[in-house]
Amino acid sequence: MAKRIDVSDLDIYYGSFLAVQSVNVSIEPRSITALIGPSGCGKSTFLRSLNRMHEVIPGARVEGKVVMDGQDLYGSDVDPVDVRRQIGMVFQRPNPFPTMSIYDNVAAGLRLNAKKMRKSDLDDLVERSLRGANLWNEVKDRLNRPGSGLSGGQQQRLCIARAIAVEPDVLLMDEPCSALDPISTLAIEDLMTELKERFTIVIVTHNMQQAARVSESTGFFNLSGVGQPGRLIEFNPTEKIFSSPDEKATEDYISGRFG
Amino acid sequence: MTTTDAPPAPPRPRRRPGDRIFAGSATGAGILILVVLAGVAAFLVSEAWPAVVAPAEDIPGGDGLTAYIAPLVFGTLLAAVIALLVATPLAVAIALYITYYAPPRLATLMGYVMDLLAAIPSIVYGFWGIAALAPALVPFYGWAEEHLGFLPFFAGPASVTGRTMLTAGLVLAIMILPIISAISREVFGQAPALHREAALALGATRWEMIRMAVLPYGRSGVIGGAMLGLGRALGETLAVALVLSGSGGITVNLIGQSNPSTIAANVALKFPESTGIEVNALIASGLALFVITFAVNMFARWIVNRRADFSGAN
């Protein structure tokens, strides 16, 4: 269950381009860590490097270490597929599989893990995951309908249900509310607060109020100019970041005096 | 006091000449295709009619029109089905390799090669089939008769020329491979990154990702491509006329010496020396081909629409 992640001297490259430079950070288990910063500063890239999803882009690689409870995620004998089975991810735009029913969407990850499950066990797990994502009551009568028929907020909770169904250690969320209306956003935020009892959550957000509302720790990413690598400028408890940050750049950004 | 003035007539929208010309020509083009289709159908029906009402002994073969056309319909369908069964899995595999496995340079090159394959005229495929493929398959047919003879498909006696239904089906398979793989490649390449990443983030391997996010998405495209290929296989004339030594009746023996011919090949071979009612009989077989092609297309559409909810288009 929830594990801590220690990142040391992490450089992330796309080909020869250094996108993010020397990140050092410890992400605590059973808490929500928010990553904020302007567009293009590398916070999403950093997030995706935590479950090796950035490797989907040809030429992407890292130098440095990402260690989850003593296990080096970039060890030479580590399969990225295994990493992603332990570290779930929720994307910016809700992306339930359009060709699958709601039920099959939630079961997708469970079926991948190739365990032969009894139908009744699978039913239980799907129900538990949908309840965990606060979606069960809304969809229990139409589990066999396509997931793409739900509203945006429901689709995003479906994606969260799909991610937590496989009981990952860590849940990464890449701007999970940016495509949603305020009410759906609130539902997701409430859900995150419940989920942090069981998972380590890292969330990238452009919404600073959101970071302030839900997270325990906040990291501020910035880049000094176009073509320059992004850096983690400051990482502190959220309260401190939003009241008396150590860095001038952080204060400028959160108070809107950002140039 | 109430007034019952008629509401003022809505202002007539101004029709610009450009709009009118474009709308007219587009409508004309749309009507034209219907007229052409109706014209072809009317021609086939009117020319086939004498053969339908003619006494059975006047039809070539002497047993009536149904007995004349049935083996041809059977042969047409059999050759096309063989082609489709061989070509579709192969085409899907090629398309997946090009879109998700091959290094980019090789993928581009292979794309060109497949397109080139589509540009080869069918007479060349026919020559290749008769001169290279058929003789090369003779030993295999002998082996198949000996070891797989218990299956009705390989009952034998094996053809010594190799010009069998199976050879014709294989030539057709190679001919329809490019169109199916080109369309599959197109739809596989368009499978949304969003859903591919969703699968990968769940811990899917590349093959599992393809199964979860690419194949279901591309399914209707593959079916569409297969139906285009089937249309070509059903109507292919020259290659089959050259390769297949068609003379026999209905049989599922794929490697024998006597094979049913196909409609298109039969028309091409017989038409020059036909007169009178024989021509009408040939046209009647053409009408049958027309109906088959139509039915195949309707069926494909039905398959594609059946699960429209889950297509990903919504």
Side-chain angles (χ1 to χ4, degrees):
Chain A
M1 297 285 19
K3 291 184 175 173
R4 71 180 282 130
I5 299 181
D6 292 293
V7 179
S8 41
D9 295 326
L10 188 71
D11 297 332
I12 308 174
Y13 293 86
Y14 290 116
S16 59
F17 174 68
L18 178 58
V20 177
Q21 193 175 24
S22 52
V23 175
N24 288 284
V25 70
S26 285
I27 292 162
E28 294 296 322
R30 289 195 186 76
S31 74
I32 300 179
T33 301
L35 305 175
I36 59 171
S39 296
C41 66
K43 54 195 187 308
S44 284
T45 297
F46 171 69
L47 187 79
R48 290 166 67 95
S49 74
L50 293 181
N51 69 343
R52 301 186 64 170
M53 269 303 284
H54 72 300
E55 287 172 24
V56 170
I57 295 161
R61 64 197 166 85
V62 303
E63 285 168 15
K65 271 198 154 169
V66 180
V67 179
M68 181 169 75
D69 270 13
Q71 171 199 9
D72 182 0
L73 298 185
Y74 283 89
S76 54
D77 56 341
V78 175
D79 183 348
V81 168
D82 293 330
V83 172
R84 293 174 201 147
R85 285 185 182 178
Q86 296 171 61
I87 305 183
M89 188 158 200
V90 176
F91 293 83
Q92 182 171 1
R93 278 180 54 200
N95 56 358
F97 297 115
T99 51
M100 293 185 194
S101 66
I102 291 171
Y103 182 99
D104 288 337
N105 260 289
V106 181
L110 297 164
R111 288 186 174 136
L112 272 186
N113 288 311
K115 278 178 284 181
K116 279 273 169 264
M117 281 181 128
R118 289 223 313 278
K119 177 85 172 81
S120 58
D121 292 345
L122 194 60
D123 286 350
D124 287 348
L125 255 169
V126 167
E127 177 174 346
R128 204 190 317 154
S129 307
L130 283 169
R131 282 190 192 282
N134 291 338
L135 191 61
W136 175 251
N137 287 327
E138 291 158 66
V139 301
K140 62 174 182 238
D141 300 323
R142 44 174 171 162
L143 292 175
N144 291 316
R145 298 295 304 150
S148 47
L150 300 173
S151 77
Q154 289 172 326
Q155 287 189 24
Q156 195 62 299
R157 277 179 282 149
L158 177 58
C159 293
I160 293 174
R162 179 176 67 189
I164 62 177
V166 293
E167 294 288 324
D169 302 313
V170 179
L171 197 56
L172 307 177
M173 302 177 124
D174 190 356
E175 298 183 45
C177 302
S178 65
L180 305 182
D181 66 80
I183 295 184
S184 307
T185 300
L186 201 64
I188 304 266
E189 285 180 10
D190 288 345
L191 178 56
M192 281 192 270
T193 318
E194 286 172 30
L195 291 176
K196 77 173 177 190
E197 307 296 327
R198 297 157 57 204
F199 304 102
T200 306
I201 297 181
V202 186
I203 172 175
V204 164
T205 179
H206 272 292
N207 180 334
M208 280 179 279
Q209 287 80 15
Q210 182 169 64
R213 276 195 298 266
V214 300
S215 70
E216 273 79 38
S217 312
T218 298
F220 171 60
F221 278 83
N222 203 356
L223 71 178
S224 41
V226 177
Q228 299 292 313
R231 290 164 176 280
L232 180 60
I233 304 292
E234 180 170 353
F235 188 83
N236 264 321
T238 300
E239 250 169 66
K240 181 168 170 54
I241 289 265
F242 284 95
S243 55
S244 54
D246 290 335
E247 301 289 332
K248 176 94 170 48
T250 314
E251 191 176 355
D252 286 351
Y253 182 74
I254 60 169
S255 61
R257 261 175 298 161
F258 182 73
Chain B
M1 194 172 92
T2 55
T3 52
T4 52
D5 286 340
R12 266 174 63 86
R14 221 184 75 183
R15 300 287 308 260
R16 291 174 179 79
D19 279 345
R20 228 177 288 171
I21 292 166
F22 184 75
S25 51
T27 312
I31 291 172
L32 184 69
I33 186 71
L34 293 178
V35 170
V36 168
L37 193 66
V40 170
F43 164 79
L44 284 175
V45 170
S46 73
E47 289 296 303
W49 190 247
V52 175
V53 295
E57 58 271 19
D58 287 359
I59 304 292
D63 294 324
L65 192 62
T66 316
Y68 178 65
I69 293 182
L72 294 176
V73 169
F74 178 79
T76 305
L77 291 176
L78 186 59
V81 165
I82 294 172
L84 209 57
L85 287 182
V86 174
T88 309
L90 200 56
V92 168
I94 291 171
L96 283 178
Y97 177 72
I98 292 179
T99 37
Y100 291 105
Y101 287 94
R105 280 236 191 102
L106 184 63
T108 321
L109 183 73
M110 282 190 67
Y112 285 137
V113 171
M114 291 306 290
D115 290 344
L116 219 63
L117 217 51
I120 298 177
S122 60
I123 185 82
V124 176
Y125 280 107
F127 279 138
W128 174 74
I130 198 172
L133 185 65
L137 283 174
V138 170
F140 166 73
Y141 290 157
W143 179 89
E145 182 194 0
E146 201 172 315
H147 296 94
L148 301 171
F150 57 90
L151 295 170
F153 309 119
F154 302 115
S159 160
V160 289
T161 56
R163 295 172 58 186
T164 66
M165 185 50 88
L166 188 56
T167 309
L170 290 176
V171 170
L172 285 177
I174 293 166
M175 292 178 70
I176 65 176
L177 197 58
I179 181 78
I180 305 180
S181 77
I183 290 177
S184 305
R185 203 174 81 207
E186 200 72 20
V187 290
F188 291 160
Q190 284 169 1
L194 210 62
H195 301 126
R196 285 189 273 132
E197 290 198 339
L200 290 174
L202 279 176
T205 61
R206 195 187 300 214
W207 163 235
E208 288 165 335
M209 179 272 282
I210 286 171
R211 241 176 32 203
M212 288 171 89
V214 177
L215 289 180
Y217 177 86
R219 187 171 146 278
S220 56
V222 172
I223 292 174
M227 289 304 132
L228 276 180
L230 184 58
R232 185 169 181 196
L234 287 172
E236 178 50 40
T237 309
L238 267 178
V240 178
L242 277 180
V243 169
L244 186 62
S245 103
S247 52
I250 296 178
T251 170
V252 292
N253 182 4
L254 302 180
I255 60 170
Q257 280 153 355
S258 120
N259 303 283
S261 187
T262 74
I263 294 175
N266 182 61
V267 170
L269 293 173
K270 300 275 174 64
F271 196 81
E273 57 212 40
S274 295
T275 50
I277 195 76
E278 293 166 10
V279 173
N280 297 117
L282 288 176
I283 292 178
S285 73
L287 181 62
L289 182 58
F290 186 75
V291 172
I292 291 171
T293 322
F294 228 79
V296 162
N297 269 308
M298 301 296 254
F299 180 65
R301 226 159 256 280
W302 178 74
I303 289 184
V304 170
N305 288 338
R306 210 169 30 140
R307 275 167 57 94
D309 276 1
F310 288 87
S311 72
N314 45 13

